[in-house]
Amino acid sequence: METKMKVEIWSDIMCPFCYIGKRHFEQALEQFPNNNQIEITWKSFQLDPSIPQHLPTKTNVYQYLAERKGISYDQSVKMHERVVEMAKAAGLQYNFDKAIVANSFSAHRLIQLAKTKGLGDAAEERLFLAYFTQGKDFGDPAVLTELGQDIGLSAAEVNEALTNDQYALDVKHDIREAEEIGVTGVPFFVFDRKYAVSGAQPSSVFQQVLERSFAEWKAENPST
């Protein structure tokens, strides 16, 4: 019998709605009376794997979108206003003028190693904060080493994550699994492999799905 109900979360650390969705889910989980029987597993996903591993110049999110879409910098700022407000409502500060665009694959390798140490959630939180608020460049291995150490990993462990092919395979496995179950965007929350919530939904939505999925899981696992 399972001792905890699993909630799997596909996420990309450069996805603004994923950080907001994390906060909304955490708010729901805090109110959920059986939260000690919920096991969270973070899954890797890349919104834009085509971003080069090393951009020739450091580019912030406003600049990057303006160049990609052929619009002005001011228009790009305008397009992000709603997301900045959503983040603020969730208690987050988004500094897109500081956020350095980078390929997130290496950061996902770090998350995969962190998961083996029981630090998956800590890694997600630290990387989100580093990207959206602090303007850290997670395309730089030295920065990833610093962030890994912030959550309790050693420099050697971070190096292992970035050089051992197993962690790259783990990232690719999560992405392939997402394709198999029809995930096209993140955040994507899967409850007990029965119910799914897509996007940064209000915490009330997560509460409803938690209650329903947990009631069914409990009926199937009466001895827990």
Side-chain angles (χ1 to χ4, degrees):
M1 288 291 178
E2 296 287 345
T3 56
K4 292 188 177 184
M5 188 188 84
K6 291 184 174 64
V7 178
E8 298 158 289
I9 310 171
W10 274 266
S11 170
D12 191 359
I13 43 170
M14 62 182 298
C15 162
F17 297 106
C18 290
Y19 200 8
I20 296 168
K22 183 177 189 291
R23 278 293 181 274
H24 289 177
F25 176 70
E26 287 168 346
Q27 290 163 7
L29 197 60
E30 191 176 335
Q31 300 298 317
F32 186 61
N34 300 105
N35 55 24
N36 63 329
Q37 288 185 271
I38 303 297
E39 179 184 328
I40 300 167
T41 301
W42 288 93
K43 300 276 194 173
S44 296
F45 191 91
Q46 282 198 287
L47 281 176
D48 189 357
S50 70
I51 296 173
Q53 195 65 40
H54 301 286
L55 288 168
T57 57
K58 290 188 177 183
T59 306
N60 72 32
V61 169
Y62 291 143
Q63 290 171 318
Y64 185 75
L65 187 71
E67 291 168 8
R68 285 284 297 256
K69 292 189 173 291
I71 59 177
S72 72
Y73 188 93
D74 287 344
Q75 285 174 308
S76 181
V77 171
K78 190 79 175 171
M79 288 177 68
H80 285 88
E81 284 179 353
R82 177 175 167 271
V83 182
V84 172
E85 287 304 313
M86 282 182 65
K88 189 176 180 180
L92 304 171
Q93 182 179 346
Y94 279 9
N95 298 319
F96 287 123
D97 58 328
K98 291 182 180 179
I100 299 169
V101 175
N103 190 296
S104 61
F105 193 86
S106 293
H108 281 294
R109 292 175 71 139
L110 173 60
I111 292 168
Q112 293 292 341
L113 180 135
K115 283 161 61 174
T116 68
K117 310 285 184 182
L119 295 169
D121 192 77
E124 291 278 345
E125 183 66 30
R126 186 67 191 93
L127 286 161
F128 275 135
L129 179 68
Y131 181 68
F132 287 107
T133 305
Q134 298 174 332
K136 301 276 189 180
D137 181 6
F138 55 59
D140 183 346
V143 171
L144 289 178
T145 300
E146 173 196 325
L147 299 177
Q149 290 176 314
D150 285 349
I151 64 167
L153 298 173
S154 68
E157 286 172 325
V158 176
N159 183 63
E160 174 77 3
L162 302 181
T163 57
N164 188 326
D165 287 343
Q166 181 57 53
Y167 299 106
L169 290 172
D170 290 340
V171 175
K172 292 174 181 176
H173 176 268
D174 282 355
I175 294 170
R176 186 168 62 249
E177 191 177 20
E179 292 171 355
E180 289 170 356
I181 65 174
V183 179
T184 55
V186 287
F188 195 84
F189 300 76
V190 176
F191 297 75
D192 196 29
R193 285 288 165 131
K194 286 183 178 180
Y195 299 100
V197 174
S198 180
Q201 301 295 335
S203 60
S204 59
V205 173
F206 289 115
Q207 277 183 300
Q208 290 169 12
V209 181
L210 269 170
E211 288 166 6
R212 181 173 181 178
S213 57
F214 185 80
E216 293 182 12
W217 175 85
K218 191 72 174 173
E220 294 167 3
N221 296 272
S223 63
T224 57

